[in-house]
Amino acid sequence: MSERLLAPDFKPTQAELLEEALTMPGSMGNTYNRFRSYSLGNQALLYMQGATEPVNTFKRWPDLNRHVKKGARAKSILVPLVYKEKDEHGKQESKIKGFKMTRCLFELSDTEGDDLPEYEPPEWSEPRALGELAIKKVQFESINGNIAGYSQERNIAISPIAPYPFKTLMHETAHVVLNHTTEEGLEEYRQHRGVAEFEAEGSAYLVMNALEATDQFDAAESREYIRGWLQGQTPPEVSIKKVFSTADKIVAAGRGATE
């Protein structure tokens, strides 16, 4: 592990997190999320630090009859800084004003005690995901044989001859979740198509990887597609954050856990 990763003030850029997420094994999500769900960004951060086992906090390991060994060093994650604010109706609501890097998670090998209970990862369901996200699949009606799929408002259509139908479905779903298909979003899409396609394809890639569905698309081709839309430029941080949050929403929706 590099000295940079061990530094107290270490905080990767969004671009570094995305690059890690594009290459890390999708199975790591089921490992990290065994006791609590972590965002895809935090999963990439844990992987950057060399974590390959289930993780938990110092206070929660005893709930499993395990205790952190003396001298063990915690892994860091980004923890949201939440504050309360009254809305226009005077009701208190929580808002996030940023994130703080916090060392708080210990791997299984950092602890000792009882064996862990059996674990069955939650199943992901396409109908459940589309239902949770209020998205409808409709009949594909384009006569353009070069189009694998399209999305309009909250409807998506996938070509019956799409080479990678599930990946295309995730790409079009991402467009809807990213609000690219609204009237305002379409105007923004026309002006910044490269950024919008980066956001949709990046989100789709992370979802496919998280669901361990990399056998259902060409991962290398997808990565080049992502980079190609940006013509070699580093994407804006706000767009990378959208990629992570959109992928998180799609994965959580299919598992029946909205975030």
Side-chain angles (χ1 to χ4, degrees):
M1 189 182 303
S2 71
E3 291 298 320
R4 178 169 175 261
L5 289 175
L6 295 173
D9 60 347
F10 166 66
K11 186 175 181 179
T13 65
Q14 289 294 315
E16 288 173 327
L17 281 179
L18 180 59
E19 189 63 35
E20 193 74 16
L22 289 175
T23 55
M24 68 180 283
S27 59
M28 295 313 303
N30 287 332
T31 298
Y32 300 142
N33 294 342
R34 184 158 181 170
F35 310 117
R36 180 179 178 180
S37 293
Y38 294 98
S39 69
L40 291 170
N42 271 328
Q43 291 176 34
L45 179 55
L46 285 166
Y47 194 67
M48 287 180 78
Q49 297 169 88
T52 57
E53 303 172 323
V55 292
N56 216 337
T57 63
F58 185 92
K59 292 183 177 180
R60 289 186 175 181
W61 272 119
D63 295 340
L64 298 160
N65 291 321
R66 295 190 68 87
H67 302 271
V68 176
K69 299 174 185 176
K70 186 176 181 180
R73 189 178 182 86
K75 298 293 191 294
S76 298
I77 57 171
L78 289 166
V79 177
L81 300 173
V82 181
Y83 69 99
K84 297 286 187 179
E85 183 177 86
K86 290 185 178 180
D87 61 18
E88 58 184 6
H89 303 294
K91 184 179 179 180
Q92 289 277 4
E93 60 179 5
S94 297
K95 291 191 175 181
I96 296 175
K97 61 179 179 181
F99 292 84
K100 178 182 179 181
M101 186 75 80
T102 305
R103 289 190 179 277
C104 59
L105 296 179
F106 294 88
E107 289 188 84
L108 175 64
S109 58
D110 292 323
T111 68
E112 53 190 4
D114 293 351
D115 292 339
L116 293 182
E118 292 293 325
Y119 175 66
E120 188 68 34
E123 292 186 3
W124 191 91
S125 163
E126 177 187 319
R128 181 164 55 216
L130 297 181
E132 288 281 347
L133 297 170
I135 295 173
K136 183 180 179 181
K137 280 181 75 173
V138 298
Q139 184 175 350
F140 185 85
E141 296 181 342
S142 174
I143 59 173
N144 187 339
N146 295 319
I147 295 177
Y150 56 82
S151 45
Q152 298 174 338
E153 297 181 342
R154 301 200 74 81
N155 298 325
I156 57 178
I158 309 301
S159 169
I161 60 171
Y164 304 116
F166 185 50
K167 202 294 295 284
T168 302
L169 176 72
M170 293 300 97
H171 181 99
E172 298 304 330
T173 297
H175 272 310
V176 176
V177 175
L178 285 158
N179 293 319
H180 293 163
T181 58
T182 63
E183 185 175 342
E184 182 179 342
L186 283 172
E187 182 59 35
E188 183 73 15
Y189 180 90
R190 295 185 187 100
Q191 295 181 34
H192 306 286
R193 186 184 179 194
V195 172
E197 285 299 328
F198 157 76
E199 292 173 354
E201 185 69 7
S203 301
Y205 184 100
L206 293 187
V207 172
M208 297 293 288
N209 197 43
L211 299 181
E212 297 185 75
T214 51
D215 60 331
Q216 297 186 48
F217 77 122
D218 188 325
E221 179 184 89
S222 182
R223 286 194 294 270
E224 287 308 308
Y225 180 94
I226 293 167
R227 291 161 180 151
W229 273 110
L230 296 168
Q231 299 180 339
Q233 299 178 12
T234 300
E237 281 219 347
V238 65
S239 286
I240 300 177
K241 289 179 179 178
K242 286 181 181 179
V243 167
F244 277 118
S245 64
T246 298
D248 280 329
K249 287 177 183 176
I250 295 171
V251 172
R255 289 175 175 160
T258 54
E259 294 185 341

